[in-house]
Amino acid sequence: TTPTTMEIEVENFTSHPFDGSLTCASQTKPLILPGSGSARVSVPLPQPLDAAQVVEEKLPLVVQSGSSAFPGDVSFNGLLCKETSADIQVDGHVEDWAGIPSVPFKNRCVGKGIIGVTDADFSGWFKVVWTEKGLFVCVGVRDDKFVHEAFAKAGDRWCNDSLQIYFDTLGDGRTKADAGYDENDYDYTINPSPSGEGSVVFRRRSPDPQL
């Protein structure tokens, strides 16, 4: 709800009232739910969300009633996306983004048997802001070798040098029992042209038509 607080919604699936407590982020709060009802509990985040880095919020929780305790976990990785008054242009130039912090990619994967990979070989950063026009993402990548093969199908070009952006539009990925994509998720792949001067955007997954 803010850079320093979150709200947990608890739902009672039984017809009996629930009277107990919820413990999360080192705080215990009363939890009273009517039968088949719900309630929201506000708790502080372990550390404030930041626009300059992805923050790991560790949030194990316990719902307790009498001698019965039910553990859970609402931990997540979060980034603060700020509004901007800048006139962002989608033109590949980063002058519009001055003053907006960049977030370095820290999850570089290196193939088995490959050693001595440096930031000069492969590294990157991204910036993200929003305006009334929408969400804007700026990505910078340093790579010592540009790889591109013009596959006949645009959907096959993901294995080239490309940028993939995923949207979990209903924000339900963390509560799913199984990992993977469903009908409310989008994957946009930005495929550079062979010359590197332009790009083609490919949407890999379409949502359910009823949505």
Side-chain angles (χ1 to χ4, degrees), residues 12 105 125-126 128 147 153 156 168:
N12 184 359
F105 289 116
W125 52 263
F126 71 94
V128 58
V147 177
K153 294 182 179 180
D156 294 334
D168 178 13

Side-chain angles (χ1 to χ4, degrees), residues 42-62:
S42 180
V43 298
L45 292 171
Q47 52 185 326
L49 293 176
D50 196 333
Q53 62 177 330
V54 177
V55 176
E56 183 181 7
E57 304 285 2
K58 295 183 178 180
L59 294 159
L61 62 80
V62 176

Side-chain angles (χ1 to χ4, degrees), residues 41-196:
V41 180
S42 180
V43 298
L45 292 171
Q47 52 185 326
L49 293 176
D50 196 333
Q53 62 177 330
V54 177
V55 176
E56 183 181 7
E57 304 285 2
K58 295 183 178 180
L59 294 159
L61 62 80
V62 176
V63 174
Q64 189 153 358
S65 177
S67 60
S68 300
F70 308 93
D73 196 315
V74 290
S75 301
F76 67 94
N77 294 332
L79 174 73
L80 186 62
C81 179
K82 291 187 174 182
E83 183 183 15
T84 182
S85 59
D87 184 19
I88 303 294
Q89 300 296 318
V90 185
D91 54 12
H93 300 291
V94 298
E95 292 82 0
D96 306 336
W97 295 79
I100 300 171
S102 60
V103 182
F105 289 116
K106 294 184 177 181
N107 56 344
R108 178 174 60 202
C109 297
V110 179
K112 187 177 181 180
I114 300 175
I115 59 175
V117 177
T118 67
D119 286 349
D121 298 320
F122 184 66
S123 57
W125 52 263
F126 71 94
K127 300 182 179 187
V128 58
V129 294
W130 68 275
T131 73
E132 291 183 351
K133 296 179 180 178
L135 181 71
F136 292 83
V137 181
C138 178
V139 180
V141 174
R142 181 175 183 179
D143 194 346
D144 64 338
K145 185 179 181 181
F146 177 62
V147 177
H148 179 89
E149 182 178 344
F151 294 101
K153 294 182 179 180
D156 294 334
R157 297 185 184 182
W158 63 269
C159 55
N160 287 317
D161 284 341
S162 62
L163 172 68
Q164 288 179 275
I165 302 176
Y166 297 85
F167 291 97
D168 178 13
T169 59
L170 296 186
D172 59 0
R174 291 186 296 112
T175 59
K176 296 287 186 181
D178 301 317
Y181 308 109
D182 59 23
E183 65 275 1
N184 67 71
D185 298 332
Y186 291 79
D187 166 16
Y188 290 94
T189 303
I190 294 88
N191 299 298
S193 62
S195 66

Side-chain angles (χ1 to χ4, degrees), residues 17-34:
F18 179 91
D19 189 349
S21 64
L22 184 147
T23 301
C24 185
S26 302
Q27 288 199 3
T28 300
K29 297 194 174 186
L31 183 61
I32 300 175
L33 299 168

